[in-house]
Amino acid sequence: QVQLVESGGGYVQAGGSLRLSCEASGRTFSNYAMTWFRQAPGKEREFVASINWSGDITYYAGSVKGRFTISRDNAKNTVTLQMNSLKPEDTAVYSCGAGLSQLGGPRARYDYWGQGTQVTVSS
């Protein structure tokens, strides 16, 4: 089992920045690819970004590429999503996930999920 706890959500004006963190506990964090998904009200959950176990392979959704950066610190069992130039359409509940995929990516299997953190961007 892997337990995931997100933090860092909040309320920000368009153009602002937020930094989300996800702390993992349980099994060896460095074995897992990590991901961020988000779900806005009335919409399906969508892939945001992922990072492989070593941190050298990342994937981003087209809608966030160039604005969001995913990173990880295996010594601290954390994965971070730095979100810059936020837009109202980024408003959603953001959840981190973990899976044993070698590369990560939007179609990888992620077996463990946190409860999510709310991000609200005002126009």
Side-chain angles (χ1 to χ4, degrees), residues 46-63:
E46 65 173 352
F47 172 83
V48 176
S50 69
I51 188 166
N52 74 324
W53 68 275
S54 61
D56 58 349
I57 298 174
T58 57
Y59 293 94
Y60 294 94
S63 58

Side-chain angles (χ1 to χ4, degrees), residues 3-20:
Q3 292 78 43
L4 302 172
V5 178
E6 302 96 337
S7 62
Y11 182 93
V12 65
Q13 290 190 332
S17 298
L18 282 175
R19 186 178 180 90
L20 305 184

Side-chain angles (χ1 to χ4, degrees), residues 11-115:
Y11 182 93
V12 65
Q13 290 190 332
S17 298
L18 282 175
R19 186 178 180 90
L20 305 184
S21 292
C22 175
E23 184 172 356
S25 59
R27 296 190 176 178
T28 305
F29 177 71
S30 59
N31 287 346
Y32 291 85
M34 300 297 295
T35 189
W36 289 94
F37 274 66
R38 68 186 181 186
Q39 187 165 20
K43 295 188 177 181
E44 291 189 357
R45 189 172 69 168
E46 65 173 352
F47 172 83
V48 176
S50 69
I51 188 166
N52 74 324
W53 68 275
S54 61
D56 58 349
I57 298 174
T58 57
Y59 293 94
Y60 294 94
S63 58
V64 308
K65 206 167 189 178
R67 300 188 297 122
F68 291 11
T69 302
I70 189 170
S71 60
R72 68 187 296 159
D73 185 337
N74 287 342
K76 296 182 178 179
N77 290 356
T78 58
V79 61
T80 299
L81 186 69
Q82 177 66 43
M83 305 187 295
N84 298 328
S85 302
L86 282 161
K87 304 175 181 180
E89 51 264 42
D90 294 318
T91 296
V93 175
Y94 285 70
S95 300
C96 73
L100 289 171
S101 166
Q102 285 287 318
L103 300 178
R107 292 180 176 81
R109 173 175 167 173
Y110 300 98
D111 294 314
Y112 303 101
W113 293 93
Q115 290 191 329

